[in-house]
Amino acid sequence: MTKQAVVVPVPPEAAVPAPQLFPYPPPRAAGVRRKQCLQMSGAGAPGRVGGWVESMRASSPTHARAAAALADDDGRRAAWMVQHPSALGKFEQVVAASKGKQIVVFLDYDGTLSPIVDDPDAAYMSDTMRRAVRSVAKHFPTAIVSGRCRDKVFEFVKLAELYYAGSHGMDIKGPAKASRHTKAAKAKGVLFQPASQFLPMIEQVHESLVEKTKDIPGAKVENNKFCVSVHFRRVDEKSWSALADMVKSVLKDYPKLKLTQGRMVFEVRPTIKWDKGKALEFLLESLGFADCADVLPFYIGDDRTDEDAFKVLRKRGNGVGILVSKHPKDTSASYSLQEPAEVMEFLLRLVEWERLSKARPKW
């Protein structure tokens, strides 16, 4: 499929040399790096399930062991905040890097625009958050990048002027409603599905997982079109090992699929080299910003899968990665926010800053 570009006009001031961007944090130490991708092939390695259970515990933000560790280590959080300061507290520093540049905003959904809830079907965003995102989209090209099915994310967000990248970026569509960032004739032009050939396989795995996990109370299997999510937030911890074993037993017959883990969720995905970081790069190219120095991408997310996008920004040496988390986490993001309420405040401040910038007289 031929990629169709949607060109975003760059303001005249884009030619003004911009100040050097803030440095990204140094590469993470190998000793603290957690393996994010648990690839399934053949029968799998012995004892792998036990390792998964430990990883499942670590992904639970309210786990008692994690809470106790944080209570005993205030110094660790203080040191982490030095490396990843609040994007609100350092707001002027963040926006200073955008002088002469076109800001493009990328947002995760769950845990970023909506609170994390036990029932993934009830992860509604507030009307005030929706208004904030709509305001952002009026000033900057804006995309939602989620592991969810694209259609389902749109049902939650209900804003036709945004770009949507569902299934971790494997299902991308441009705005259904033209804005000043898109030409009306091309508003629906960006549509990209690099894993279409995996759809029958994903459907088979979804059906198998629904059947296999039906006797585990609290387990929820979600078909996100190009990936399958197995939520264990409501599963008793005593059943986690059995759940992980069930997922393994299904995937052993599908070597072209891999297993990744997010926040209290297992996600089955095609083995193609595509993720949220690739989606970010594709959207920048579609917007006419491939390899451009006069663009500044903002990416805000809370999940392990968002790290792929943060790494792309690090590699570009140009962008603002913001992790949403109340607890210290190993991350490639440069800044942090604690919860969706702070994300909304940051977005509103960004809009107000843009309005004031345009209102200032040009001498």
Side-chain angles (χ1 to χ4, degrees), residues 106 145 168-169 269 274-284 299 305-313 316:
F106 297 87
V145 186
H168 300 285
R269 295 196 253 171
W274 197 264
D275 50 41
K276 290 183 176 182
K278 295 290 186 182
L280 183 153
E281 291 179 315
F282 174 82
L283 282 168
L284 286 176
Y299 190 102
T305 58
D306 297 309
E307 290 298 323
D308 294 316
F310 295 148
K311 290 174 184 176
V312 165
L313 296 185
R316 286 173 58 93

Side-chain angles (χ1 to χ4, degrees), residues 33 139 205 320:
R33 183 176 297 154
H139 294 274
V205 169
V320 179

Side-chain angles (χ1 to χ4, degrees), residues 104-149:
V104 183
V105 178
F106 297 87
L107 302 164
D108 180 32
Y109 182 76
D110 293 276
T112 299
L113 299 181
S114 72
I116 294 293
V117 294
D118 288 343
D119 182 2
D121 289 334
Y124 303 110
M125 68 188 299
S126 67
D127 290 338
T128 51
M129 179 67 86
R130 184 173 293 104
R131 286 193 292 270
V133 175
R134 180 183 287 116
S135 295
V136 168
K138 287 180 180 178
H139 294 274
F140 316 106
T142 303
I144 307 295
V145 186
S146 172
R148 299 257 200 168
C149 170

Side-chain angles (χ1 to χ4, degrees), residues 287-308:
L287 287 163
F289 291 131
D291 303 318
C292 287
D294 57 357
V295 61
L296 186 69
F298 281 55
Y299 190 102
I300 307 178
D302 78 309
D303 196 71
R304 290 182 182 181
T305 58
D306 297 309
E307 290 298 323
D308 294 316

